[in-house]
Amino acid sequence: MKFSEMNYLRPDLLKVENEFKELTQEMREATSGEAAFRVHEKFYALTGQIQTASELAMIRHDMNTVDAVYKEERDWFDKNMPLISNLSVEYQKALYESPYRKELVEKIGPVAFKNIELAMKSVDEKILPLMQEENELTTRYNNLLASCKIPFHGEECNLSLLSPYLHHRDRQVRKEAWEAYTSFFMEHEEELDWIYDRLVKNRTEQGRKMGHQNFSPLGYARMMRNSYGAEEIASFRRQVKKDFVPFVEELHERRRKRLGIDHLMYFDEGVYFNEGNPVPIGDDQQILASGRELYGQLSPETREFMDFMCENELFDVEGRKDKTTGGYMTYIPDYRSPFIFANFNGTSDDADVITHECGHAFQGYLTRNDPIREHADITMETAETHSMSMEFFTEPWIDRLFGSDASRYVEMHFEDAMMFIPYGTMVDEFQNIIYEDPSLDPKSRKTVWRDLEKQYKPHLDYGDNAYLNAGGFWQKQHHIYDLPFYYIDYCIAGTNALQYKVWMDQDYKAAWNSYLTLCKLSASDFFPGLMSAAGLRNPFEDGCLAYIVRELSAKL
């Protein structure tokens, strides 16, 4: 079904509550494993309907944040999803405690039961008001960023539409663009500080009500860290500092020489060539058409997937003034349809949507007919492996998007993928520090950020930009507000993607077959088991990052 034809219907909260209670009772009264699984299939149907409505409300609100109808619907879900989540957890407790647990594990797998255990540690009736407030605060943050209207060079730009100027070939233009960009954050600094301060206090209180000293254990449970924890992630961060930061600083020096400048400044970040970064050819529709041609060449599976996406209006990529910033892929379960949301702005980011977000969507499409819904509960480091690896797998056909600039794009993408890992790891360490010491005030939090920048990005020079010198850059990173502890998943996944880069340079077909295997496994195994089945090294094992640096530096 085309997206425009998908029917939105707000759930009837009283009916939903009664259905969950009935299912919970039926699960407790089931007289066999088979009967218990039949109850669980009803749970799939109910939660599928709710998630479908939630996703449609979110997408249509994000398409136009001033649409009063879907603003009201989004607000309804912000208020009521914590209540629904709590009802779902009550049902899952009955499933978890079923006397037919053995038969149910055989049906839906051990990963599902570990995730239920984490879900039971993540939601409780006593924290529902706090969860509702948390949702309201994150929506307020996103609406604030979406409201941005910056006059620049004769245009009225939001944050996404300003991006081409931030990476402009003219150094003076991009300096002015960065000053305009940060002026928005300076103007709203007090509100941004208040929102985040309230979020930290809110989440800390949630953690304490759930029996923890702070929010971190609750945050890790919500991220479904079902096979590793804080110790493994801390070990990964140490690898990044020891093995990756020095190599990435060499890449920045290489970039400086290529740009022909004496000293890199903050407004040179993300700029790779004097003549300007390569940009995809054509307008929004031409880029989508080129992406369709690319996936038509990559494999039979990707051809079928991209035809489905294009024919069913499952992209919204046009940059518009009242549209939510950023981009994402999500899944609409009752229509078995991935959906990709983005803001094309005439930069290489547009191509990254075609590669990165389509990597997510391709995996969702491949597994859309899996009857076990829990297999779709992919932990984020695995989900991001699907997307970040696709960025490399599409490179042999990237000329469809960039024409004669394809080789420059490949060089830029490689360097950018390497340079991201220190930044993403820094975001994670920042959040760990903040939630470990929630008493820090806004100024102290910015000091923490600036200190981490000196460790992870020692080349960075903010010149006379007072806001960034004071440590304000992180306030643009919506994951820090919206999705605590998510960002390290990009870094773990980026490590996997770089492993695939090494592999495909040696044997593209073998690497692609491994990738298909990983996609089809979905969440049927824990992360270490998925890595083993795909033939990848576990990024938490010491030496993994050193291996990647050694292999890839030899190719420079």
Side-chain angles (χ1 to χ4, degrees), residues 98 245 339 367 469:
S98 169
V245 169
F339 186 91
T367 58
N469 267 318

Side-chain angles (χ1 to χ4, degrees), residues 113-122 221 224-226:
F113 278 88
K114 180 62 179 177
N115 289 345
I116 292 170
E117 185 181 318
L118 292 173
M120 291 189 295
K121 294 177 180 178
S122 300
M224 290 199 297
R225 307 279 190 229
N226 58 25

Side-chain angles (χ1 to χ4, degrees), residues 206-257:
Q206 287 188 54
R208 288 174 178 164
K209 282 181 177 290
M210 294 296 283
H212 309 297
Q213 286 189 327
N214 54 50
F215 172 69
S216 296
L218 177 58
Y220 272 54
R222 287 185 179 167
M223 285 304 301
M224 290 199 297
R225 307 279 190 229
N226 58 25
S227 57
Y228 60 88
E231 186 177 334
E232 287 83 358
I233 292 175
S235 172
F236 180 82
R237 291 198 299 262
R238 289 192 291 271
Q239 278 194 79
V240 171
K241 287 182 182 177
K242 177 170 66 78
D243 298 321
F244 232 71
V245 169
F247 178 58
V248 168
E249 288 300 300
E250 290 178 23
L251 293 180
H252 282 296
E253 176 61 14
R254 186 173 182 250
R255 184 171 63 88
R256 181 194 68 77
K257 291 177 181 176

Side-chain angles (χ1 to χ4, degrees), residues 268-303:
D268 300 315
E269 291 292 288
V271 179
Y272 293 86
F273 301 98
N274 252 330
E275 59 270 44
N277 290 347
V279 297
I281 299 165
D283 61 16
D284 301 352
Q285 294 308 309
Q286 287 173 290
I287 292 170
L288 283 177
S290 297
R292 191 170 185 175
E293 183 182 352
L294 181 160
Y295 282 108
Q297 294 291 314
L298 200 163
S299 76
E301 296 91 344
T302 54
R303 181 188 305 114

Side-chain angles (χ1 to χ4, degrees), residues 82-194:
L83 305 173
I84 293 170
S85 295
N86 191 53
L87 290 167
S88 178
V89 167
E90 284 301 311
Y91 164 81
Q92 288 176 312
K93 284 180 184 176
L95 175 72
Y96 189 81
E97 294 165 357
S98 169
Y100 307 105
R101 169 87 167 263
K102 182 180 177 183
E103 293 93 323
L104 289 167
V105 168
E106 288 175 2
K107 280 280 191 182
I108 66 176
V111 177
F113 278 88
K114 180 62 179 177
N115 289 345
I116 292 170
E117 185 181 318
L118 292 173
M120 291 189 295
K121 294 177 180 178
S122 300
V123 181
D124 192 278
E125 193 170 357
K126 60 185 172 233
I127 62 170
L128 295 186
L130 290 166
M131 292 176 72
Q132 290 169 326
E133 183 194 34
E134 181 185 12
N135 285 343
E136 291 165 5
L137 288 165
T138 58
T139 297
R140 177 171 171 173
Y141 168 77
N142 284 293
N143 285 343
L144 174 61
L145 266 57
S147 74
C148 172
K149 291 178 174 60
I150 300 173
F152 193 80
H153 283 221
E155 289 186 64
E156 186 178 73
C157 299
N158 64 14
L159 296 176
S160 295
L161 296 176
L162 194 63
S163 184
Y165 296 109
L166 300 177
H167 303 95
H168 200 276
R169 60 185 296 179
D170 186 319
R171 206 173 183 215
Q172 184 59 32
V173 170
R174 62 181 184 257
K175 182 177 189 296
E176 292 169 1
W178 270 104
E179 288 169 349
Y181 187 92
T182 52
S183 70
F184 170 81
F185 288 89
M186 289 177 70
E187 180 184 349
H188 297 282
E189 184 175 11
E190 187 174 335
E191 184 175 3
L192 289 164
D193 282 340
W194 182 87

